[in-house]
Amino acid sequence: MTDEAGPWLVVGLGNPGREYAGNRHNVGFMVTDLLAGRVGARFGRHKRVVAEAAEGRLGFGGPKLVLVKPLTYMNLSGGPVVGLAQFHKIPPARVIAVHDELDIPYGQVRVKCGGGEGGHNGLRSMSKSLGTKDYVRVRFGIGRPPGRQDPADYVLSDFSSVERKELEFLVDRAADVVESVVTRGVEPTQNLYHGG
């Protein structure tokens, strides 16, 4: 399959810095790191935007992926995203945001196009900067915080030891979902992955 319509921009949402690396809020970074490995690309600091970026193709001659990890902190993610989209001439319809999702149970990965941001600051910033909500979201379920824990504290805490046992498999699955969106489209991917 070729990329006649141009490349895809895959945005891993997260916060820069070692102290955030294992946070639930940083699962987008984890997925884009895995995708970079799959396409044989390495992240490097972009010259024009405050982000790390990597480029590669899915398979031999397959669609080109521009992978990005904004380095602006979550609530300012939109700036680097729109900067890279303009740099590579990628329309919002070919932008995929990979992010944590409180409203989906842990262990489930869902995909949708458009819709609300559900209080997610990274998505809110992206929608504002892109001027539209019509981009693809790969939503990695982290579930709701236990008891009365503040959701803001919960997303900025690391995955539990029980969750970490499955995390590698789930990050791998989320990367599969991203690849499926690129090669098959949103609806076929929903049909394929929303069964469980």
Side-chain angles (χ1 to χ4, degrees), residues 3 16 26 32 52 64 128 130 140 178 182-183:
D3 61 341
N26 270 43
T32 46
E52 287 191 348
K64 181 180 176 183
K128 186 176 178 184
L130 289 167
F140 190 106
V178 172
V182 170
T183 57

Side-chain angles (χ1 to χ4, degrees), residues 148-181:
R148 296 187 176 189
Q149 186 179 7
D150 182 352
D153 293 335
Y154 178 68
V155 299
L156 291 174
S157 63
D158 286 357
F159 287 98
S160 70
S161 56
V162 173
E163 288 170 333
R164 281 198 298 271
K165 289 176 183 170
E166 275 191 290
L167 185 59
E168 193 176 331
F169 165 77
L170 296 171
V171 167
D172 195 64
R173 183 179 172 89
D176 289 345
V177 170
V178 172
E179 289 191 15
S180 178
V181 168

Side-chain angles (χ1 to χ4, degrees), residues 10-108:
V10 181
V11 182
L13 290 175
N15 288 308
R18 214 175 267 173
E19 67 271 33
Y20 298 106
N23 288 180
R24 292 178 175 90
H25 224 21
N26 270 43
V27 75
F29 278 16
M30 297 173 196
V31 175
T32 46
D33 281 339
L34 180 61
L35 283 165
R38 286 187 182 184
V39 300
R42 278 194 155 164
F43 276 101
R45 186 69 185 258
H46 198 274
K47 293 185 182 96
R48 297 192 184 190
V49 299
V50 186
E52 287 191 348
E55 297 176 29
R57 288 189 180 274
L58 281 180
F60 182 72
K64 181 180 176 183
L65 300 185
V66 178
L67 304 165
V68 59
K69 297 190 290 184
L71 298 177
T72 51
Y73 292 98
M74 189 68 83
N75 58 349
L76 297 172
S77 301
V81 171
V82 80
L84 277 165
Q86 289 170 348
F87 182 78
H88 290 280
K89 299 179 174 61
I90 300 172
R94 293 175 78 84
V95 173
I96 302 172
V98 186
H99 64 92
D100 58 305
E101 177 61 70
L102 285 162
D103 292 326
I104 296 174
Y106 182 73
Q108 294 184 14

